[in-house]
Amino acid sequence: MEEDIGSLIRRVEALSIQIGGMSEAEKISRLDGGSLLQVFRKVRATFVKFGTQTQLAEFESRYSKIEPLLETNSLDLPSAAKVEIVLAAEAFLLDSADLLQKLNNLKNLGDQECVPDLRQKMKAIRPIQRVHMQQELETAHCQQRLNNLVDLYNSTLTRLSQQLYFWDAQLTQWETRVDKSLEQK
């Protein structure tokens, strides 16, 4: 399979050179090992042997689209098509150049003095991290206990308030009864 992939890479290089313009002798010397159609047939056989069904189906769909182009020996592109290819890739090339420039600018960040000591500093920080994690667990436990105590306090106060309200209502009723009985006498 690696031989087939290597052969495909050589074919793609040959096609790119062919698009750029070469003599017929140079083209044939670059296409050693047969035509592109033969290489794709080898790749297809390899997929059948080792590939999964989804990979094979994807390869088949792509292969069926380019097979007519591979059967013809003339893969020359007109100049207008070459210009279109270059113009279509222009945005990608500009974006790639911009990203490479940003990467080059970030290169200086790795050369600072603090980066080489990073491993030693991380070793010193690990015990502090462990203590911090332990304290977070203890804090979570204390917070849970506090929440439980506050809930218990609130429920106790609610019950006590209800009891006091009930007693107040009872006393009011008794006082009303006593007042009525005293008035009747």
Side-chain angles (χ1 to χ4, degrees), residues 16-141:
S16 65
I17 291 172
Q18 186 177 7
I19 290 172
M22 291 179 67
S23 68
E24 285 299 316
E26 289 175 305
K27 291 177 190 175
I28 292 172
S29 69
R30 294 290 282 188
L31 293 175
D32 60 321
S35 70
L36 286 171
L37 184 60
Q38 291 172 343
V39 171
F40 276 107
R41 285 183 180 150
K42 285 181 187 178
V43 170
R44 182 173 177 257
T46 305
F47 270 119
V48 169
K49 186 176 179 184
F50 296 110
T52 64
Q53 291 299 325
T54 56
Q55 290 172 333
L56 181 60
E58 185 179 336
F59 177 78
E60 286 285 333
S61 69
R62 290 181 182 179
Y63 177 76
S64 64
K65 291 177 185 175
I66 64 169
E67 186 175 20
L69 296 173
L70 296 175
E71 289 177 353
T72 63
N73 290 331
S74 172
L75 292 176
D76 292 331
L77 292 174
S79 296
K82 292 177 187 177
V83 169
E84 278 185 41
I85 291 171
V86 170
L87 290 176
E90 183 180 13
F92 172 74
L93 292 173
L94 290 174
D95 289 342
S96 297
D98 186 40
L99 289 174
L100 287 172
Q101 182 63 35
K102 288 179 182 178
L103 181 64
N104 193 27
N105 292 341
L106 292 176
K107 190 179 196 182
N108 296 334
L109 294 176
D111 296 336
Q112 293 179 356
E113 294 177 13
C114 65
V115 175
D117 298 334
L118 186 63
R119 290 181 190 231
Q120 292 174 348
K121 291 178 181 173
M122 286 302 294
K123 286 179 184 176
I125 289 176
R126 281 191 186 128
I128 297 170
Q129 286 176 333
R130 287 188 196 114
V131 169
H132 178 68
M133 289 172 52
Q134 182 181 7
Q135 287 177 346
E136 283 181 337
L137 289 174
E138 290 174 3
T139 302
H141 178 70

